[in-house]
Amino acid sequence: MGYPTLFRPLVVISSLAPLCMAAYPEVVNDSRCDCYLTNGSSENYFTTHKFFDFRNKVDQAKVPDIIGDADESSQADPTSDYLSSDEWSDYWGLQSWNNSGSLNTDVTDATVLMVHSPNNVYLEKNQDENANSKTYLTMRTARLDDFQTSCEFESIIQNYQYLSVRMYARTVGAPGAVTAMFTYRMPDDADDVAEVQESDLEIRTLDPPDSVQYTNQPSYTSMGLDVQDATRNVTIPEGRDWTNWAVYRMDWSPGKTTWYIDGGEVASISFQAPRDPSMLIFNSWSDGGSWTGNMSVGSEASLQIQWIELVYNTTGTPDKQTGNHRHMAAIHEREESDKREEGSCYNVCSIDQREETGTTTLLQGSAPRTIVSWVVVLCLALFAW
Ligand SMILES: *[C@@H]1O[C@H](CO)[C@@H](O)[C@H](O)[C@H]1NC(C)=O
Ligand SMILES: *[C@@H]1O[C@H](CO)[C@@H](O)[C@H](O)[C@H]1NC(C)=O
Ligand SMILES: *[C@@H]1O[C@H](CO)[C@@H](O)[C@H](O)[C@H]1NC(C)=O
Ligand SMILES: *[C@@H]1O[C@H](CO)[C@@H](O)[C@H](O)[C@H]1NC(C)=O
Ligand SMILES: *[C@@H]1O[C@H](CO)[C@@H](O)[C@H](O)[C@H]1NC(C)=O
Ligand SMILES: *[C@@H]1O[C@H](CO)[C@@H](O)[C@H](O)[C@H]1NC(C)=O
């Protein structure tokens, strides 16, 4: 698409040039797309696109009081109609497990009971000055006298095999928490750390606000040694920090995982790149161990997310599926095989080359119908004239 270079600095048309240069590919409905091509050094084709938008849910926004009782918090209901709806729960499962099983064992160095609660995931009004959304999704963790209340949601799809996921998010609050977005494959033997497959974006609130940590787990061995090749401590570029809104992107590709912030690559790790079908998880937590540190009683921290977007493939053989999860997996499988049956990818779409968040554009295919072509024709006509 080299058409902008056709322009010479001619005075007559220079005022028209910005119009032509600003052209983006045509915005299309996902049903027009056979596949999605991502950009950057980890560019790849994917079959499916999903966008979860938390920016405009004013009627659902309400900060729930923290529940002080551990059992009650674990059993709490979702905090809004949206988080109870199929639109949400067909894709994400709010967690309510706790770490009592591993406390005081040599599996972790946790010192505090941590209880995941659906009550800590909620829609909240954006009260920023010059707010760039009406609302966002908050994932809260807070330290109470007897335990750390925390939260996690996991993808219902457990057989992603390669994906590019992005969240527009920030982390705020007290030291002693970790907020994270990661792929995860449960080892067959839950206690065998060497078998974990996991690519992480983690923000430690005890770290300086410009540090983020990227890891292909395990980053420690059963001997407790750090595995240096597995992890990168990255300074966020351009003087920004994790308290600012930014697009955090993680691409899990064959043989490597690559991380971006606001479109710029910041890390890539081949070592221990996950190989097998995995799920996707978001959480906000602390357990008083050496990784999160201790949060002071009465303090809290949050991961706040305006939107989550992903393009992905799944494998044809979903495993570890249960109940309606199986139903969803079947739908996803059908979506994918429908696309594969159509043969090669004719309409190639993008979630990178676009003007407006959440839209999909058509990079190639059905060429004469794209706005790009019309703009090219228009620009060429103007140029000739
Ligand atoms: C996309 O197309 C499908 C099928 O034609 C339709 O059901 C859906 O409403 C469309 N979505 C948008 C955002 O236009
Ligand atoms: C991907 O494309 C977008 C839109 O042109 C750009 O802002 C972003 O920097 C690109 N990212 C990479 C990694 O090339
Ligand atoms: C995703 O699936 C499509 C269709 O099978 C394939 O062409 C593409 O290479 C896959 N992407 C990755 C990253 O494996
Ligand atoms: C923690 O999990 C255990 C095992 O699932 C369960 O028996 C216990 O009731 C849970 N405790 C809390 C506070 O949720
Ligand atoms: C990352 O680097 C920063 C700056 O050097 C340091 O303060 C921080 O503790 C490091 N974080 C980790 C997890 O190593
Ligand atoms: C957290 O607090 C507990 C209890 O006060 C203490 O035993 C532990 O060493 C602390 N952990 C860290 C990482 O500071």
Side-chain angles (χ1 to χ4, degrees), residues 69-75 96-101 113 115-116:
D69 178 81
D71 288 308
E72 275 177 38
S73 77
S74 166
Q75 287 151 26
S96 55
W97 55 268
N98 66 72
N99 68 347
S100 60
L113 173 65
V115 181
H116 283 327

Side-chain angles (χ1 to χ4, degrees), residues 111 288-290 293-294:
T111 61
S290 54
N294 281 308

Side-chain angles (χ1 to χ4, degrees), residues 21-288:
M21 310 269 296
Y24 280 85
E26 180 192 3
V27 173
V28 294
N29 187 318
D30 278 313
S31 61
R32 286 269 300 280
C33 304
D34 299 319
C35 68
Y36 301 85
L37 175 62
T38 55
N39 67 357
S41 73
S42 54
E43 71 167 25
N44 260 306
Y45 290 92
F46 296 96
T47 56
T48 313
H49 171 218
K50 290 287 171 220
F51 181 59
F52 300 91
D53 195 352
F54 315 123
R55 294 173 300 170
N56 202 4
K57 299 200 178 294
V58 180
D59 58 332
Q60 312 253 333
K62 183 171 181 296
V63 179
D65 291 339
I66 290 171
I67 299 174
D69 178 81
D71 288 308
E72 275 177 38
S73 77
S74 166
Q75 287 151 26
D77 291 327
T79 58
S80 65
D81 291 344
Y82 173 70
L83 294 168
S84 313
S85 72
D86 290 349
E87 187 186 349
W88 167 265
S89 45
D90 279 350
Y91 284 89
W92 307 108
L94 293 168
Q95 300 299 300
S96 55
W97 55 268
N98 66 72
N99 68 347
S100 60
S102 59
L103 262 183
N104 308 316
T105 67
D106 58 9
V107 178
T108 73
D109 62 0
T111 61
V112 176
L113 173 65
M114 176 186 80
V115 181
H116 283 327
S117 169
N119 187 58
N120 290 324
V121 182
Y122 49 87
L123 292 156
E124 180 170 3
K125 274 210 177 83
N126 187 341
Q127 301 190 335
D128 294 358
E129 234 177 275
N130 305 317
N132 57 0
S133 73
K134 292 206 171 73
T135 55
Y136 47 74
L137 185 76
T138 297
M139 299 185 72
R140 171 177 66 190
T141 181
R143 178 63 194 270
L144 308 177
D145 286 326
D146 300 327
F147 69 106
Q148 180 87 27
T149 186
S150 56
C151 58
E152 174 166 299
F153 56 84
E154 302 183 350
S155 63
I156 301 301
I157 297 177
Q158 309 216 347
N159 60 327
Y160 290 108
Q161 197 164 30
Y162 310 122
L163 55 75
S164 174
V165 58
R166 303 98 191 274
M167 65 169 176
Y168 186 58
R170 68 179 174 191
T171 294
V172 295
V178 165
T179 63
M181 170 174 90
F182 57 107
T183 67
Y184 183 72
R185 182 180 174 85
M186 175 89 74
D188 294 329
D189 170 2
D191 291 339
D192 188 352
V193 298
E195 290 295 313
V196 169
Q197 295 185 42
E198 174 177 340
S199 284
D200 295 338
L201 151 64
E202 288 178 290
I203 288 162
R204 301 202 313 169
T205 58
L206 58 73
D207 271 351
D210 60 356
S211 293
V212 294
Q213 196 73 28
Y214 297 117
T215 309
N216 285 344
Q217 298 285 359
S219 60
Y220 52 92
T221 67
S222 54
M223 314 285 286
L225 301 171
D226 283 358
V227 181
Q228 292 302 329
D229 287 345
T231 192
R232 303 276 184 281
N233 178 344
V234 166
T235 301
I236 302 177
E238 293 166 27
R240 289 166 305 170
D241 64 53
W242 39 252
T243 66
N244 305 137
W245 293 108
V247 177
Y248 293 92
R249 167 177 165 190
M250 178 170 74
D251 284 13
W252 170 37
S253 332
K256 69 173 180 180
T257 303
T258 309
W259 292 267
Y260 301 81
I261 298 177
D262 283 340
E265 181 174 330
V266 291
S268 184
I269 305 178
S270 299
F271 185 71
Q272 290 180 166
R275 298 172 308 278
D276 297 311
S278 299
M279 60 204 290
L280 183 59
I281 305 181
F282 295 76
N283 65 16
S284 183
W285 63 285
S286 175
D287 64 4

